[in-house]
Amino acid sequence: MIMLKEFKEFIMKGNILDLAVAVIIGAAFKTVISSFVNDILMPPIGMALGGVDFSDLRYTIQEASDGVEAVAINYGAFTQTLIDFLIIAFVIFMVLKAYNSMQKKKEEAPAAPPAPSNEEVLLGEIRDLLKK
C-alpha cells in the first residue's frame, strides 16, 4: 500500500506530467513532419533529380527468388527519415532559441521601483508646504 502511495505521488509530480504531455505532442509533431517531408518536400526534390522517388531508392544485395524476398538496403527510406529528423531538430532548436531569448528579456527587464510609503508621501507634502 505504501508503494502504491509513493508511485501515485511520483506520477502526480509536475515534471512527470509535463514530460508525458511533451512526448504525446512530440509524437503528433513527428507525424506532421513526416507528412510534410513525404508529401510536400520530397516530390519536388525527386522531380528536380529526374523523377526519383526516394522511398524506392535501394541497393539490392540479393534478388528475390523461389518465394524468398529480396534483401536490400533501403537508403531512400533512410534519407527521408534523416530529413524528418533534421527538420524536427531545427524546429526544436528554433523553439528553444525563442524561449531562451524570452527568458533573457524577462531577466533584463528592470523591475518597477516600489511605490513610496505613506511616510515618504507625507514628508514630500510637508516639504512642498514649507517651500511655499
Short mmCIF file of all heavy atoms in Angstrom, two decimals, residues 15-81:
data_model
loop_
_atom_site.label_atom_id
_atom_site.label_comp_id
_atom_site.label_asym_id
_atom_site.label_seq_id
_atom_site.Cartn_x
_atom_site.Cartn_y
_atom_site.Cartn_z
N ASN A 15 6.71 17.55 -13.13
CA ASN A 15 7.68 17.24 -14.17
C ASN A 15 7.27 16.00 -14.97
O ASN A 15 7.45 15.95 -16.17
CB ASN A 15 9.06 17.02 -13.56
CG ASN A 15 9.61 18.29 -12.95
OD1 ASN A 15 9.12 19.37 -13.23
ND2 ASN A 15 10.61 18.16 -12.12
N ILE A 16 6.73 15.01 -14.29
CA ILE A 16 6.32 13.78 -14.97
C ILE A 16 5.15 14.07 -15.92
O ILE A 16 5.13 13.62 -17.06
CB ILE A 16 5.94 12.69 -13.95
CG1 ILE A 16 7.11 12.34 -13.05
CG2 ILE A 16 5.41 11.45 -14.66
CD1 ILE A 16 8.31 11.78 -13.77
N LEU A 17 4.19 14.85 -15.45
CA LEU A 17 3.05 15.18 -16.31
C LEU A 17 3.50 16.03 -17.49
O LEU A 17 3.02 15.83 -18.62
CB LEU A 17 1.98 15.90 -15.50
CG LEU A 17 1.30 15.06 -14.41
CD1 LEU A 17 0.33 15.90 -13.60
CD2 LEU A 17 0.58 13.88 -15.02
N ASP A 18 4.40 16.98 -17.25
CA ASP A 18 4.92 17.80 -18.34
C ASP A 18 5.63 16.92 -19.38
O ASP A 18 5.49 17.12 -20.58
CB ASP A 18 5.88 18.85 -17.81
CG ASP A 18 5.18 19.92 -16.99
OD1 ASP A 18 3.94 20.01 -17.08
OD2 ASP A 18 5.87 20.65 -16.25
N LEU A 19 6.41 15.95 -18.89
CA LEU A 19 7.12 15.06 -19.79
C LEU A 19 6.16 14.22 -20.61
O LEU A 19 6.35 14.04 -21.81
CB LEU A 19 8.07 14.16 -18.99
CG LEU A 19 8.88 13.17 -19.80
CD1 LEU A 19 9.79 13.90 -20.78
CD2 LEU A 19 9.71 12.29 -18.88
N ALA A 20 5.10 13.73 -19.98
CA ALA A 20 4.12 12.92 -20.70
C ALA A 20 3.44 13.74 -21.80
O ALA A 20 3.27 13.26 -22.92
CB ALA A 20 3.08 12.37 -19.73
N VAL A 21 3.08 14.96 -21.48
CA VAL A 21 2.46 15.84 -22.47
C VAL A 21 3.44 16.12 -23.61
O VAL A 21 3.08 16.08 -24.79
CB VAL A 21 1.98 17.15 -21.81
CG1 VAL A 21 1.59 18.18 -22.86
CG2 VAL A 21 0.82 16.87 -20.87
N ALA A 22 4.70 16.35 -23.27
CA ALA A 22 5.71 16.62 -24.30
C ALA A 22 5.90 15.43 -25.22
O ALA A 22 6.04 15.59 -26.44
CB ALA A 22 7.03 17.00 -23.63
N VAL A 23 5.89 14.22 -24.68
CA VAL A 23 6.05 13.02 -25.50
C VAL A 23 4.87 12.87 -26.45
O VAL A 23 5.04 12.57 -27.64
CB VAL A 23 6.22 11.76 -24.62
CG1 VAL A 23 6.08 10.49 -25.42
CG2 VAL A 23 7.56 11.81 -23.91
N ILE A 24 3.67 13.09 -25.96
CA ILE A 24 2.47 12.96 -26.80
C ILE A 24 2.49 14.01 -27.90
O ILE A 24 2.24 13.71 -29.08
CB ILE A 24 1.19 13.06 -25.94
CG1 ILE A 24 1.09 11.83 -25.04
CG2 ILE A 24 -0.04 13.19 -26.82
CD1 ILE A 24 0.05 11.93 -23.96
N ILE A 25 2.80 15.24 -27.55
CA ILE A 25 2.85 16.30 -28.56
C ILE A 25 3.99 16.04 -29.54
O ILE A 25 3.85 16.26 -30.75
CB ILE A 25 2.99 17.68 -27.89
CG1 ILE A 25 1.68 18.03 -27.18
CG2 ILE A 25 3.35 18.76 -28.91
CD1 ILE A 25 1.73 19.29 -26.37
N GLY A 26 5.12 15.54 -29.04
CA GLY A 26 6.24 15.21 -29.92
C GLY A 26 5.88 14.13 -30.93
O GLY A 26 6.27 14.21 -32.09
N ALA A 27 5.15 13.12 -30.48
CA ALA A 27 4.74 12.06 -31.41
C ALA A 27 3.80 12.61 -32.48
O ALA A 27 3.93 12.26 -33.66
CB ALA A 27 4.06 10.93 -30.63
N ALA A 28 2.88 13.47 -32.08
CA ALA A 28 1.97 14.08 -33.05
C ALA A 28 2.76 14.98 -34.01
O ALA A 28 2.48 15.01 -35.22
CB ALA A 28 0.88 14.87 -32.34
N PHE A 29 3.73 15.70 -33.47
CA PHE A 29 4.55 16.59 -34.29
C PHE A 29 5.35 15.78 -35.31
O PHE A 29 5.53 16.20 -36.45
CB PHE A 29 5.47 17.41 -33.38
CG PHE A 29 6.26 18.46 -34.09
CD1 PHE A 29 5.63 19.53 -34.68
CD2 PHE A 29 7.63 18.39 -34.16
CE1 PHE A 29 6.36 20.52 -35.33
CE2 PHE A 29 8.37 19.36 -34.80
CZ PHE A 29 7.73 20.42 -35.39
N LYS A 30 5.82 14.61 -34.91
CA LYS A 30 6.58 13.76 -35.81
C LYS A 30 5.73 13.33 -37.01
O LYS A 30 6.21 13.31 -38.13
CB LYS A 30 7.12 12.53 -35.10
CG LYS A 30 8.00 11.68 -36.00
CD LYS A 30 8.14 10.29 -35.49
CE LYS A 30 8.97 9.43 -36.40
NZ LYS A 30 8.47 9.31 -37.75
N THR A 31 4.47 13.01 -36.76
CA THR A 31 3.61 12.60 -37.89
C THR A 31 3.38 13.77 -38.84
O THR A 31 3.34 13.57 -40.05
CB THR A 31 2.26 12.04 -37.40
OG1 THR A 31 1.59 13.02 -36.62
CG2 THR A 31 2.45 10.78 -36.58
N VAL A 32 3.26 14.96 -38.29
CA VAL A 32 3.08 16.15 -39.15
C VAL A 32 4.33 16.36 -39.99
O VAL A 32 4.25 16.61 -41.21
CB VAL A 32 2.76 17.39 -38.30
CG1 VAL A 32 2.82 18.65 -39.12
CG2 VAL A 32 1.40 17.25 -37.65
N ILE A 33 5.50 16.28 -39.37
CA ILE A 33 6.75 16.47 -40.10
C ILE A 33 6.95 15.37 -41.14
O ILE A 33 7.37 15.64 -42.26
CB ILE A 33 7.95 16.53 -39.13
CG1 ILE A 33 7.86 17.79 -38.26
CG2 ILE A 33 9.27 16.52 -39.88
CD1 ILE A 33 7.88 19.09 -39.02
N SER A 34 6.63 14.14 -40.77
CA SER A 34 6.77 13.04 -41.74
C SER A 34 5.88 13.28 -42.96
O SER A 34 6.30 13.07 -44.10
CB SER A 34 6.40 11.71 -41.09
OG SER A 34 7.34 11.39 -40.11
N SER A 35 4.66 13.72 -42.72
CA SER A 35 3.76 14.02 -43.83
C SER A 35 4.31 15.18 -44.66
O SER A 35 4.26 15.14 -45.90
CB SER A 35 2.37 14.36 -43.30
OG SER A 35 1.54 14.76 -44.38
N PHE A 36 4.83 16.19 -43.99
CA PHE A 36 5.41 17.34 -44.71
C PHE A 36 6.56 16.88 -45.61
O PHE A 36 6.64 17.26 -46.78
CB PHE A 36 5.90 18.39 -43.71
CG PHE A 36 6.66 19.53 -44.34
CD1 PHE A 36 6.00 20.49 -45.08
CD2 PHE A 36 8.03 19.62 -44.20
CE1 PHE A 36 6.69 21.53 -45.67
CE2 PHE A 36 8.73 20.66 -44.78
CZ PHE A 36 8.06 21.62 -45.52
N VAL A 37 7.44 16.05 -45.07
CA VAL A 37 8.59 15.58 -45.85
C VAL A 37 8.13 14.68 -46.99
O VAL A 37 8.52 14.88 -48.15
CB VAL A 37 9.60 14.86 -44.94
CG1 VAL A 37 10.67 14.15 -45.76
CG2 VAL A 37 10.26 15.85 -44.00
N ASN A 38 7.30 13.68 -46.67
CA ASN A 38 6.90 12.69 -47.68
C ASN A 38 5.97 13.26 -48.75
O ASN A 38 6.08 12.89 -49.92
CB ASN A 38 6.23 11.49 -47.02
CG ASN A 38 7.18 10.73 -46.13
OD1 ASN A 38 8.39 10.75 -46.33
ND2 ASN A 38 6.64 10.07 -45.13
N ASP A 39 5.05 14.15 -48.36
CA ASP A 39 4.01 14.59 -49.28
C ASP A 39 4.28 15.94 -49.93
O ASP A 39 3.72 16.24 -50.98
CB ASP A 39 2.67 14.65 -48.54
CG ASP A 39 2.29 13.31 -47.95
OD1 ASP A 39 2.68 12.28 -48.54
OD2 ASP A 39 1.61 13.27 -46.90
N ILE A 40 5.10 16.77 -49.29
CA ILE A 40 5.31 18.12 -49.83
C ILE A 40 6.77 18.35 -50.25
O ILE A 40 7.03 18.86 -51.34
CB ILE A 40 4.88 19.17 -48.80
CG1 ILE A 40 3.38 19.05 -48.57
CG2 ILE A 40 5.25 20.58 -49.24
CD1 ILE A 40 2.82 19.92 -47.48
N LEU A 41 7.71 17.97 -49.42
CA LEU A 41 9.11 18.30 -49.67
C LEU A 41 9.77 17.35 -50.66
O LEU A 41 10.45 17.80 -51.60
CB LEU A 41 9.87 18.30 -48.34
CG LEU A 41 11.28 18.84 -48.35
CD1 LEU A 41 11.26 20.32 -48.74
CD2 LEU A 41 11.91 18.68 -46.99
N MET A 42 9.59 16.05 -50.50
CA MET A 42 10.32 15.09 -51.32
C MET A 42 9.84 15.01 -52.77
O MET A 42 10.69 14.83 -53.65
CB MET A 42 10.28 13.70 -50.67
CG MET A 42 11.01 13.65 -49.33
SD MET A 42 12.67 14.33 -49.37
CE MET A 42 13.57 12.96 -50.01
N PRO A 43 8.54 15.13 -53.08
CA PRO A 43 8.16 15.06 -54.51
C PRO A 43 8.85 16.11 -55.38
O PRO A 43 9.37 15.75 -56.45
CB PRO A 43 6.64 15.23 -54.47
CG PRO A 43 6.24 14.66 -53.16
CD PRO A 43 7.34 15.08 -52.22
N PRO A 44 8.91 17.40 -54.98
CA PRO A 44 9.63 18.34 -55.85
C PRO A 44 11.13 18.05 -55.93
O PRO A 44 11.74 18.22 -56.99
CB PRO A 44 9.39 19.71 -55.19
CG PRO A 44 8.25 19.52 -54.28
CD PRO A 44 8.21 18.08 -53.91
N ILE A 45 11.72 17.58 -54.83
CA ILE A 45 13.15 17.25 -54.86
C ILE A 45 13.36 16.07 -55.80
O ILE A 45 14.30 16.06 -56.60
CB ILE A 45 13.67 16.95 -53.44
CG1 ILE A 45 13.68 18.23 -52.61
CG2 ILE A 45 15.07 16.35 -53.50
CD1 ILE A 45 14.04 18.02 -51.16
N GLY A 46 12.50 15.06 -55.70
CA GLY A 46 12.61 13.92 -56.60
C GLY A 46 12.42 14.31 -58.06
O GLY A 46 13.11 13.81 -58.94
N MET A 47 11.46 15.22 -58.30
CA MET A 47 11.23 15.69 -59.67
C MET A 47 12.44 16.46 -60.18
O MET A 47 12.84 16.29 -61.33
CB MET A 47 9.98 16.58 -59.73
CG MET A 47 9.51 16.87 -61.13
SD MET A 47 7.95 17.74 -61.15
CE MET A 47 8.48 19.40 -60.75
N ALA A 48 13.05 17.26 -59.32
CA ALA A 48 14.23 18.02 -59.73
C ALA A 48 15.40 17.10 -60.03
O ALA A 48 16.27 17.42 -60.85
CB ALA A 48 14.61 19.02 -58.65
N LEU A 49 15.42 15.93 -59.40
CA LEU A 49 16.50 14.97 -59.64
C LEU A 49 16.15 13.96 -60.73
O LEU A 49 16.78 12.91 -60.83
CB LEU A 49 16.85 14.23 -58.34
CG LEU A 49 17.43 15.10 -57.23
CD1 LEU A 49 17.61 14.28 -55.96
CD2 LEU A 49 18.75 15.70 -57.66
N GLY A 50 15.13 14.27 -61.50
CA GLY A 50 14.79 13.40 -62.63
C GLY A 50 13.70 12.38 -62.33
O GLY A 50 13.75 11.27 -62.85
N GLY A 51 12.75 12.73 -61.50
CA GLY A 51 11.62 11.84 -61.23
C GLY A 51 11.94 10.72 -60.25
O GLY A 51 11.33 9.66 -60.29
N VAL A 52 12.89 10.94 -59.37
CA VAL A 52 13.29 9.92 -58.41
C VAL A 52 12.32 9.92 -57.24
O VAL A 52 11.99 10.95 -56.69
CB VAL A 52 14.72 10.19 -57.89
CG1 VAL A 52 15.11 9.19 -56.83
CG2 VAL A 52 15.70 10.17 -59.03
N ASP A 53 11.82 8.73 -56.88
CA ASP A 53 11.01 8.57 -55.67
C ASP A 53 11.95 8.03 -54.60
O ASP A 53 12.43 6.89 -54.69
CB ASP A 53 9.85 7.61 -55.92
CG ASP A 53 8.95 7.46 -54.70
OD1 ASP A 53 9.14 8.21 -53.72
OD2 ASP A 53 8.07 6.59 -54.73
N PHE A 54 12.21 8.83 -53.59
CA PHE A 54 13.21 8.47 -52.59
C PHE A 54 12.86 7.19 -51.84
O PHE A 54 13.74 6.45 -51.43
CB PHE A 54 13.41 9.61 -51.59
CG PHE A 54 14.34 10.67 -52.11
CD1 PHE A 54 13.88 11.65 -52.96
CD2 PHE A 54 15.66 10.67 -51.75
CE1 PHE A 54 14.73 12.62 -53.43
CE2 PHE A 54 16.53 11.63 -52.23
CZ PHE A 54 16.06 12.62 -53.08
N SER A 55 11.57 6.92 -51.67
CA SER A 55 11.20 5.71 -50.93
C SER A 55 11.54 4.45 -51.72
O SER A 55 11.66 3.37 -51.15
CB SER A 55 9.71 5.73 -50.58
OG SER A 55 8.93 5.78 -51.76
N ASP A 56 11.72 4.57 -53.03
CA ASP A 56 12.07 3.41 -53.86
C ASP A 56 13.58 3.22 -54.01
O ASP A 56 14.00 2.22 -54.59
CB ASP A 56 11.45 3.56 -55.26
CG ASP A 56 9.94 3.44 -55.21
OD1 ASP A 56 9.42 2.84 -54.25
OD2 ASP A 56 9.28 3.95 -56.14
N LEU A 57 14.37 4.14 -53.53
CA LEU A 57 15.82 4.01 -53.69
C LEU A 57 16.33 2.92 -52.75
O LEU A 57 16.10 2.94 -51.55
CB LEU A 57 16.52 5.33 -53.38
CG LEU A 57 16.24 6.48 -54.33
CD1 LEU A 57 16.94 7.74 -53.85
CD2 LEU A 57 16.68 6.13 -55.73
N ARG A 58 17.02 1.94 -53.34
CA ARG A 58 17.57 0.85 -52.53
C ARG A 58 18.72 0.20 -53.28
O ARG A 58 18.81 0.30 -54.51
CB ARG A 58 16.50 -0.17 -52.20
CG ARG A 58 15.95 -0.91 -53.39
CD ARG A 58 14.85 -1.84 -52.99
NE ARG A 58 13.86 -1.04 -52.29
CZ ARG A 58 12.56 -1.18 -52.37
NH1 ARG A 58 12.07 -2.13 -53.08
NH2 ARG A 58 11.73 -0.40 -51.75
N TYR A 59 19.55 -0.43 -52.50
CA TYR A 59 20.64 -1.22 -53.07
C TYR A 59 20.31 -2.68 -52.80
O TYR A 59 20.25 -3.11 -51.64
CB TYR A 59 21.97 -0.83 -52.43
CG TYR A 59 23.12 -1.67 -52.90
CD1 TYR A 59 23.64 -1.51 -54.16
CD2 TYR A 59 23.66 -2.64 -52.07
CE1 TYR A 59 24.69 -2.30 -54.61
CE2 TYR A 59 24.70 -3.43 -52.50
CZ TYR A 59 25.22 -3.26 -53.77
OH TYR A 59 26.25 -4.04 -54.20
N THR A 60 20.07 -3.45 -53.86
CA THR A 60 19.66 -4.84 -53.71
C THR A 60 20.91 -5.71 -53.55
O THR A 60 21.79 -5.72 -54.42
CB THR A 60 18.84 -5.31 -54.92
OG1 THR A 60 17.73 -4.44 -55.06
CG2 THR A 60 18.36 -6.73 -54.73
N ILE A 61 20.94 -6.42 -52.44
CA ILE A 61 22.06 -7.33 -52.18
C ILE A 61 21.79 -8.69 -52.82
O ILE A 61 22.67 -9.29 -53.42
CB ILE A 61 22.28 -7.48 -50.65
CG1 ILE A 61 22.64 -6.13 -50.05
CG2 ILE A 61 23.35 -8.50 -50.35
CD1 ILE A 61 22.69 -6.13 -48.54
N GLN A 62 20.54 -9.16 -52.67
CA GLN A 62 20.16 -10.45 -53.25
C GLN A 62 18.77 -10.31 -53.85
O GLN A 62 17.85 -9.85 -53.19
CB GLN A 62 20.17 -11.53 -52.16
CG GLN A 62 19.80 -12.89 -52.67
CD GLN A 62 19.80 -13.92 -51.55
OE1 GLN A 62 20.10 -13.61 -50.41
NE2 GLN A 62 19.47 -15.14 -51.89
N GLU A 63 18.62 -10.72 -55.08
CA GLU A 63 17.34 -10.66 -55.77
C GLU A 63 16.38 -11.69 -55.17
O GLU A 63 16.80 -12.69 -54.60
CB GLU A 63 17.52 -10.94 -57.26
CG GLU A 63 18.35 -9.92 -58.01
CD GLU A 63 17.65 -8.57 -58.13
OE1 GLU A 63 16.40 -8.53 -58.13
OE2 GLU A 63 18.36 -7.57 -58.22
N ALA A 64 15.09 -11.42 -55.34
CA ALA A 64 14.08 -12.36 -54.87
C ALA A 64 14.08 -13.59 -55.75
O ALA A 64 14.21 -13.51 -56.98
CB ALA A 64 12.71 -11.70 -54.90
N SER A 65 13.92 -14.75 -55.11
CA SER A 65 13.87 -15.99 -55.89
C SER A 65 13.19 -17.09 -55.08
O SER A 65 13.36 -17.17 -53.87
CB SER A 65 15.28 -16.44 -56.28
OG SER A 65 16.03 -16.74 -55.12
N ASP A 66 12.41 -17.92 -55.75
CA ASP A 66 11.76 -19.09 -55.15
C ASP A 66 11.06 -18.78 -53.84
O ASP A 66 11.26 -19.45 -52.83
CB ASP A 66 12.77 -20.22 -54.94
CG ASP A 66 13.38 -20.71 -56.24
OD1 ASP A 66 12.66 -20.66 -57.27
OD2 ASP A 66 14.55 -21.14 -56.23
N GLY A 67 10.24 -17.74 -53.81
CA GLY A 67 9.46 -17.40 -52.62
C GLY A 67 10.25 -16.68 -51.53
O GLY A 67 9.72 -16.36 -50.47
N VAL A 68 11.51 -16.42 -51.76
CA VAL A 68 12.33 -15.68 -50.80
C VAL A 68 12.37 -14.22 -51.24
O VAL A 68 12.64 -13.93 -52.40
CB VAL A 68 13.77 -16.26 -50.75
CG1 VAL A 68 14.64 -15.46 -49.79
CG2 VAL A 68 13.75 -17.73 -50.37
N GLU A 69 12.07 -13.35 -50.30
CA GLU A 69 12.07 -11.93 -50.63
C GLU A 69 13.49 -11.43 -50.89
O GLU A 69 14.46 -12.01 -50.41
CB GLU A 69 11.46 -11.12 -49.48
CG GLU A 69 9.98 -11.38 -49.28
CD GLU A 69 9.40 -10.47 -48.21
OE1 GLU A 69 9.93 -9.37 -48.00
OE2 GLU A 69 8.40 -10.88 -47.60
N ALA A 70 13.55 -10.32 -51.63
CA ALA A 70 14.84 -9.73 -51.92
C ALA A 70 15.43 -9.10 -50.66
O ALA A 70 14.71 -8.62 -49.79
CB ALA A 70 14.69 -8.67 -53.01
N VAL A 71 16.75 -9.13 -50.60
CA VAL A 71 17.46 -8.49 -49.49
C VAL A 71 18.02 -7.19 -50.05
O VAL A 71 18.77 -7.19 -51.03
CB VAL A 71 18.61 -9.39 -48.97
CG1 VAL A 71 19.36 -8.69 -47.87
CG2 VAL A 71 18.06 -10.73 -48.50
N ALA A 72 17.62 -6.07 -49.43
CA ALA A 72 18.02 -4.78 -49.97
C ALA A 72 18.29 -3.79 -48.84
O ALA A 72 17.74 -3.90 -47.75
CB ALA A 72 16.93 -4.22 -50.89
N ILE A 73 19.16 -2.85 -49.13
CA ILE A 73 19.43 -1.73 -48.22
C ILE A 73 18.59 -0.56 -48.74
O ILE A 73 18.84 -0.05 -49.84
CB ILE A 73 20.92 -1.38 -48.19
CG1 ILE A 73 21.72 -2.56 -47.65
CG2 ILE A 73 21.16 -0.12 -47.36
CD1 ILE A 73 23.22 -2.39 -47.74
N ASN A 74 17.62 -0.13 -47.96
CA ASN A 74 16.69 0.93 -48.37
C ASN A 74 17.24 2.29 -47.95
O ASN A 74 16.77 2.90 -47.01
CB ASN A 74 15.31 0.69 -47.75
CG ASN A 74 14.71 -0.61 -48.21
OD1 ASN A 74 14.84 -0.98 -49.37
ND2 ASN A 74 14.06 -1.32 -47.31
N TYR A 75 18.19 2.79 -48.70
CA TYR A 75 18.78 4.07 -48.34
C TYR A 75 17.86 5.24 -48.66
O TYR A 75 18.01 6.32 -48.09
CB TYR A 75 20.17 4.25 -48.97
CG TYR A 75 20.20 4.32 -50.48
CD1 TYR A 75 20.10 5.54 -51.13
CD2 TYR A 75 20.35 3.17 -51.24
CE1 TYR A 75 20.14 5.62 -52.51
CE2 TYR A 75 20.40 3.25 -52.62
CZ TYR A 75 20.29 4.47 -53.25
OH TYR A 75 20.32 4.54 -54.61
N GLY A 76 16.88 5.06 -49.53
CA GLY A 76 15.91 6.13 -49.81
C GLY A 76 15.02 6.39 -48.60
O GLY A 76 14.77 7.55 -48.24
N ALA A 77 14.54 5.33 -47.97
CA ALA A 77 13.72 5.48 -46.76
C ALA A 77 14.56 6.10 -45.65
O ALA A 77 14.07 6.94 -44.87
CB ALA A 77 13.17 4.13 -46.32
N PHE A 78 15.82 5.70 -45.57
CA PHE A 78 16.71 6.29 -44.56
C PHE A 78 16.91 7.78 -44.83
O PHE A 78 16.93 8.59 -43.89
CB PHE A 78 18.06 5.57 -44.55
CG PHE A 78 19.04 6.18 -43.61
CD1 PHE A 78 18.91 6.01 -42.24
CD2 PHE A 78 20.10 6.95 -44.08
CE1 PHE A 78 19.81 6.58 -41.36
CE2 PHE A 78 20.99 7.53 -43.20
CZ PHE A 78 20.85 7.34 -41.84
N THR A 79 17.04 8.16 -46.09
CA THR A 79 17.21 9.57 -46.45
C THR A 79 15.99 10.38 -46.00
O THR A 79 16.14 11.47 -45.43
CB THR A 79 17.42 9.72 -47.96
OG1 THR A 79 18.57 8.96 -48.34
CG2 THR A 79 17.61 11.18 -48.35
N GLN A 80 14.80 9.85 -46.22
CA GLN A 80 13.60 10.55 -45.79
C GLN A 80 13.54 10.66 -44.27
O GLN A 80 13.17 11.71 -43.73
CB GLN A 80 12.34 9.85 -46.32
CG GLN A 80 12.13 10.09 -47.79
CD GLN A 80 10.80 9.59 -48.26
OE1 GLN A 80 10.28 8.59 -47.78
NE2 GLN A 80 10.23 10.29 -49.22
N THR A 81 13.91 9.60 -43.58
CA THR A 81 13.92 9.64 -42.12
C THR A 81 14.94 10.65 -41.62
O THR A 81 14.68 11.38 -40.65
CB THR A 81 14.23 8.24 -41.55
OG1 THR A 81 13.28 7.31 -42.06
CG2 THR A 81 14.19 8.23 -40.04
#
